[in-house]
Amino acid sequence: MGEASRISRYLYTVIVLFAIWLFLTASLDPQELGFGLLLSLIVGAFTYEIFTTNGLANLHPKRIAYAIAYIPYFLWAMIMANLDVAYRVLHPKRPINPGIVECRTVLKSDVGKLSLANSITLTPGTITLDVKGDRYFIHWIDVKDDSIEGASKNITEPFEKFLKVIFG
């Protein structure tokens, strides 16, 4: 691996760690900023090899824009799923049709697949049970279509349009 790649991966790791520090401390005090930067530089030196393979390429403006857009999209999906589950629980006839469905993903990176699995599980009414390659096995509270294509269209595809740009 080239020296430029190692430096890129190290700088990216430091930037991410420092951003996490800023988020957690919520302080712009110069002493805290200095300590957070120092800590990020030290921790980054020991962890950059396992932290990223792409380095600064992860900070492409298109990826950042999609990541920012994904947050409200995911929150909206979570709110709508919460309302749907609440309706099903409170309805006198409990209109549920639970089942386990198989979905396929177009995502290739492990981090992208992990993010998809977590997004599915954090959305009420669905739980990712297992992931094998590009196949996801999901418990769905109201199976609308048990075919692989239909389940994928309803469950994985809405998230994938963002995640495939963010994670490649």
Side-chain angles (χ1 to χ4, degrees):
M1 188 153 304
E3 187 66 24
S5 174
R6 288 171 38 129
I7 292 171
S8 172
R9 291 169 58 204
Y10 173 69
L11 289 175
Y12 175 74
T13 303
V14 169
I15 290 168
V16 170
L17 291 172
F18 188 63
I20 292 169
W21 175 269
L22 290 174
F23 177 75
L24 292 176
T25 61
S27 172
L28 296 177
D29 178 60
Q31 286 182 323
E32 288 197 29
L33 291 176
F35 184 72
L37 182 59
L38 178 66
L39 197 61
S40 298
L41 290 167
I42 293 169
V43 172
F46 292 107
T47 62
Y48 77 92
E49 291 179 345
I50 58 171
F51 192 81
T52 180
T53 56
N54 296 334
L56 292 172
N58 288 326
L59 296 178
H60 189 279
K62 185 175 180 180
R63 283 183 164 184
I64 293 172
Y66 270 75
I68 291 169
Y70 183 68
I71 294 168
Y73 179 83
F74 173 72
L75 292 174
W76 179 253
M78 193 167 20
I79 289 168
M80 296 309 293
N82 270 293
L83 293 173
D84 181 64
V85 170
Y87 165 77
R88 293 178 192 292
V89 169
L90 296 174
H91 193 282
K93 295 184 181 178
R94 299 264 156 82
I96 64 172
N97 181 26
I100 296 174
V101 295
E102 178 181 345
C103 296
R104 302 268 175 167
T105 184
V106 296
L107 300 174
K108 302 295 180 211
S109 75
D110 289 341
V111 176
K113 291 177 183 179
L114 175 68
S115 297
L116 177 61
N118 285 336
S119 296
I120 291 167
T121 298
L122 288 171
T123 307
T126 53
I127 298 172
T128 304
L129 302 173
D130 196 11
V131 179
K132 292 187 179 183
D134 67 342
R135 301 175 351 180
Y136 285 70
F137 296 93
I138 299 166
H139 181 274
W140 193 5
I141 196 170
D142 187 38
V143 177
K144 294 176 178 66
D145 187 342
D146 62 358
S147 71
I148 294 173
E149 296 79 20
S152 297
K153 183 177 182 190
N154 282 297
I155 299 173
T156 60
E157 284 181 17
F159 297 123
E160 285 177 335
K161 61 186 170 188
F162 291 93
L163 296 176
K164 68 183 172 187
V165 174
I166 297 168
F167 298 109

